[in-house]
C-alpha cells in the first residue's frame, strides 16, 4: 500500500535514518516513541485490523501506522490516502500520550488532541501503543464476549473501587460518556462498553428491544465478574440501565439515569404502521449528508456552541462511519423502532413495571431536551415516589457534555449517599 507521499507501508519496517530528511522540532521524540513500539500488537485493536492510522504532529511531521490482521505493525513517514482515523496534536502531547505519561482522553477533552474518523479506533490505538504502566484513572480498552456478542469496552479507575457500568445512547458510542468516565475514574472503577450494534461492537441481526439489551447487559456483567455495581445510562443507555435494575435488583446498588428514554405514553396511534416498517430495509444506502448529521447533533444541546467544533467533528465522523455499514444502519433503526414500539401499559408495559424497580435511582432531565421531554419526570415520580428526579435548567439531551460540572456534582452526591446507606 502506498501513501500520498510515496511511502510503501508494506516494505521494510524500519525508522528512516536520522540523516534521511530534515526534521522539525519534536520529530525526534515522536520517532523514538514509535520506534520503541513492538513489531506485533495484541488486544482489541487486532479486531479492527487491517487498519491504517495517521499520526499528525503538524509541522513536526506525519506518520502512518498500518496494523494487519495478525497484529503486525508497519510504520512509515508520510500521509495516508484514506486512513480509518487521524490523531492530531502537537509533538509533546503525542509523545506524552503514546508513551503512557498522559491520558489521550484527557487531552481530547481539553482540546489538545483532535480525532477525525473512527473515534473508537483512536481509543484502541492509545491502549495498544501506550503500553507502559499508566495511572489507574487512564481509560484502557478491552473486549469480552457477552450474549454471544463481541463487546469492546473501556475500563478506568482503581480496581478495588466501587464499580459503575456506563451505557451510552442511541447512535452513539462509549465515547459519548468520556467526560463521565474520566471524572468518576478518579475514585470509581468505571466500565463503559459499546452497546451491541453500535461503535465497534458486533452488530447482530436482532430485535434490539429493552428485553434483548437487558439479557446482554446481565451476561456482560457476569462476564466481567461483577457482583455489586451501579448502572449509569444516557438516553437509550438509561432505558437499558432500568431494565438491568429490574432484572438484577440484588446486584445493582443504584441507577443514574441521564435523560433516559421511557415508553411513549401518547402518540401511539402509529404503532401498527411502525410495526410494518421492517428495519432490514435499512440494508439500502441511506442518503445522509454530513451537514444534516451535524445539524441533528447540535439539536441535542440547549446551547450548541457550548461544545467545541472538534467534538462535533469527532462525533459525526463516528456516526457516519457506522451508518455507512448495512448492519450498522439496521441496528440503529431496529433500536429506534423498539423505543417507539415498547408497550406502555399492561403486564409487559414499561409504566406498569417501573414501580417494581428496587435499587435507588437518580433521574436527570434537561428542560430543553427535544428528544425526551422533561415532562416524563412527573410520571416517573408517580411510579417511583422514592426516586430522585432533577430537571437541569438550560440543558438538552446530553448533560454530561453540555453541563459536565453540574451533572457530575449530582452524580457524585447520589453515589456517595447510596454508598453511605442513604
Amino acid at each position: 500500500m502506498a501513501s500520498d507521499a510515496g511511502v510503501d507501508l508494506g516494505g521494510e519496517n524500519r525508522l528512516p535514518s536520522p540523516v534521511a530528511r530534515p526534521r522539525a522540532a519534536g520529530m525526534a521524540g515522536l520517532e523514538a516513541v514509535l520506534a520503541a513500539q513492538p513489531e506485533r500488537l495484541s488486544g482489541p485493536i487486532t479486531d479492527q485490523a487491517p487498519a491504517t492510522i495517521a499520526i499528525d504532529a503538524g509541522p513536526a511531521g506525519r506518520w502512518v501506522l498500518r496494523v494487519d490482521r495478525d497484529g503486525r505493525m508497519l510504520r512509515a513517514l508520510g500521509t495516508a490516502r484514506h486512513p480509518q482515523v487521524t490523531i492530531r496534536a502537537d509533538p509533546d502531547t503525542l509523545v506524552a500520550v503514546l508513551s503512557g505519561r498522559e491520558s489521550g482522553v484527557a487531552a481530547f477533552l481539553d482540546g489538545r488532541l483532535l480525532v477525525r474518523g473512527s473515534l473508537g479506533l483512536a481509543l484502541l490505538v492509545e491502549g495498544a501503543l501506550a503500553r507502559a504502566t499508566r495511572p489507574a484513572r487512564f481509560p484502557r480498552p478491552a473486549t469480552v464476549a457477552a450474549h454471544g456478542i463481541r463487546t469492546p469496552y473501556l475500563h478506568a479507575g482503581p480496581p478495588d473501587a466501587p464499580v459503575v457500568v456506563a451505557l451510552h445512547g442511541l447512535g452513539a458510542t462509549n465515547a459519548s460518556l468520556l467526560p463521565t468516565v474520566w471524572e468518576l475514574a478518579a475514585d470509581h472503577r468505571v466500565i463503559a462498553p459499546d452497546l451491541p450494534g453500535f461503535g465497534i461492537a458486533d452488530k447482530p441481526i436482532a430485535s434490539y428491544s429493552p428485553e434483548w439489551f437487558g439479557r446482554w447487559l446481565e451476561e456482560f456483567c457476569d462476564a466481567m465478574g461483577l457482583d455489586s455495581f451501579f448502572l449509569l445510562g444516557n438516553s437509550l443507555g438509561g432505558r437499558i440501565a432500568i431494565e438491568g435494575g429490574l432484572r438484577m435488583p440484588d446486584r445493582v446498588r443504584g441507577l443514574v439515569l441521564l435523560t433516559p428514554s421511557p415508553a411513549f405514553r401518547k402518540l401511539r396511534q402509529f404503532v401498527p404502521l411502525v410495526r410494518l416498517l421492517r428495519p432490514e430495509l435499512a440494508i439500502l444506502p441511506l442518503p445522509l449528508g454530513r451537514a444534516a448529521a451535524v445539524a441533528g447533533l447540535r439539536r441535542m444541546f440547549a446551547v450548541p456552541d457550548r461544545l467545541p467544533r472538534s467534538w462535533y467533528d469527532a462525533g459525526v465522523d463516528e456516526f457516519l462511519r457506522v451508518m455507512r455499514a448495512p448492519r450498522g444502519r439496521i441496528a440503529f433503526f431496529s433500536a429506534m423502532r423498539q423505543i417507539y414500539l415498547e408497550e406502555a401499559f399492561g403486564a409487559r408495559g414499561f409504566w406498569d413495571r417501573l414501580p417494581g424497580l428496587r435499587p435507588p435511582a437518580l433521574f436527570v432531565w434537561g428542560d430543553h431536551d427535544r428528544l425526551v421531554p422533561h415532562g416524563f419526570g412527573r410520571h416517573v415520580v408517580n411510579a417511583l415516589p422514592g426516586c430522585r428526579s432533577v430537571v437541569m435548567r438550560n440543558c438538552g439531551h446530553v448533560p454530561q457534555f453540555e453541563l459536565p460540572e453540574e451533572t457530575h456534582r449530582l452524580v457524585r452526591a447520589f453515589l456517595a449517599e447510596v454508598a453511605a446507606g442513604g
Side-chain angles (χ1 to χ4, degrees):
M1 175 180 176
S3 72
D4 290 344
V7 177
D8 183 4
L9 296 182
E12 190 72 13
N13 185 20
R14 296 181 182 276
L15 293 173
S17 165
V19 297
R21 57 179 290 171
R23 304 184 187 203
M27 184 65 159
L30 186 54
E31 284 182 354
V33 169
L34 292 173
Q37 301 299 328
E39 299 295 323
R40 193 176 298 274
L41 302 176
S42 60
I45 194 170
T46 57
D47 294 339
Q48 302 301 307
T52 302
I53 303 107
I55 306 291
D56 186 349
R62 295 173 176 83
W63 279 90
V64 182
L65 309 179
R66 170 79 175 180
V67 181
D68 66 19
R69 294 190 184 278
D70 295 325
R72 192 165 55 102
M73 185 172 70
L74 307 177
R75 300 169 286 238
L77 283 166
T79 57
R81 193 178 301 276
H82 297 296
Q84 278 95 323
V85 63
T86 298
I87 301 171
R88 183 177 297 118
D90 65 84
D92 289 343
T93 298
L94 286 170
V95 169
V97 169
L98 296 179
S99 63
R101 299 198 309 270
E102 183 175 358
S103 168
V105 169
F108 174 77
L109 295 175
D110 289 345
R112 293 178 292 111
L113 184 146
L114 307 180
V115 176
R116 297 302 308 270
S118 173
L119 190 54
L121 180 56
L123 293 168
L124 297 184
V125 169
E126 179 187 358
L129 299 185
R131 290 173 167 270
T133 301
R134 297 184 292 167
R137 187 180 185 183
F138 290 13
R140 304 169 299 282
T143 302
V144 71
H147 201 44
I149 297 164
R150 184 185 57 82
T151 305
Y153 63 93
L154 294 174
H155 59 121
D160 56 349
V163 177
V164 177
V165 177
L167 307 171
H168 65 77
L170 177 71
T173 71
N174 56 13
S176 70
L177 290 166
L178 286 179
T180 302
V181 171
W182 179 250
E183 165 64 26
L184 296 184
D187 49 10
H188 290 76
R189 180 188 173 200
V190 187
I191 302 170
D194 272 346
L195 295 179
F198 299 92
I200 56 177
D202 281 349
K203 299 169 178 61
I205 303 300
S207 69
Y208 291 91
S209 66
E211 293 80 9
W212 182 83
F213 273 119
R215 289 193 296 272
W216 163 81
L217 176 60
E218 187 169 7
E219 292 192 26
F220 175 78
C221 294
D222 289 344
M224 298 296 298
L226 304 180
D227 295 323
S228 176
F229 50 91
F230 293 92
L231 289 175
L232 179 150
N234 175 219
S235 190
L236 172 63
R239 175 62 187 91
I240 297 170
I242 292 173
E243 196 66 26
L246 291 169
R247 293 179 66 92
M248 300 178 283
D250 296 328
R251 299 168 66 184
V252 177
R253 300 179 63 185
L255 299 163
V256 176
L257 307 163
L258 307 177
T259 65
S261 55
F264 280 57
R265 297 174 64 93
K266 300 178 180 179
L267 301 176
R268 301 197 62 85
Q269 63 269 31
F270 303 108
V271 166
L273 176 61
V274 174
R275 289 191 190 280
L276 295 175
L277 297 175
R278 300 303 305 169
E280 291 80 5
L281 293 173
I283 194 171
L284 301 174
L286 182 68
L288 178 63
R290 184 175 187 84
V294 171
L297 183 56
R298 288 177 63 87
R299 283 179 58 81
M300 293 187 182
F301 302 95
V303 184
D305 290 339
R306 282 175 173 152
L307 277 68
R309 177 58 187 267
S310 60
W311 289 5
Y312 286 111
D313 287 339
V316 168
D317 283 352
E318 183 73 353
F319 176 74
L320 291 177
R321 181 190 69 81
V322 173
M323 294 298 283
R324 289 190 188 105
R327 281 183 174 268
R329 293 193 297 271
I330 292 173
F332 176 84
F333 285 107
S334 295
M336 183 170 67
R337 177 175 176 269
Q338 288 292 344
I339 290 174
Y340 179 68
L341 291 180
E342 182 178 9
E343 294 180 23
F345 304 102
R348 298 178 57 193
F350 173 83
W351 294 102
D352 286 334
R353 294 176 64 218
L354 186 60
L357 187 67
R358 285 168 45 191
L362 166 68
F363 289 79
V364 178
W365 315 93
D367 66 348
H368 283 67
D369 190 343
R370 297 180 177 90
L371 296 181
V372 180
H374 65 86
F376 277 119
R378 70 178 185 273
H379 300 295
V380 166
V381 172
N382 288 336
L384 290 171
C387 78
R388 181 166 302 172
S389 183
V390 179
V391 178
M392 296 182 66
R393 298 182 59 185
N394 207 20
C395 180
H397 189 60
V398 194
Q400 70 271 20
F401 263 102
E402 186 163 17
L403 295 174
E405 293 184 2
E406 185 176 348
T407 299
H408 295 141
R409 278 199 299 270
L410 288 170
V411 173
R412 280 194 168 279
F414 174 78
L415 295 179
E417 182 178 351
V418 173

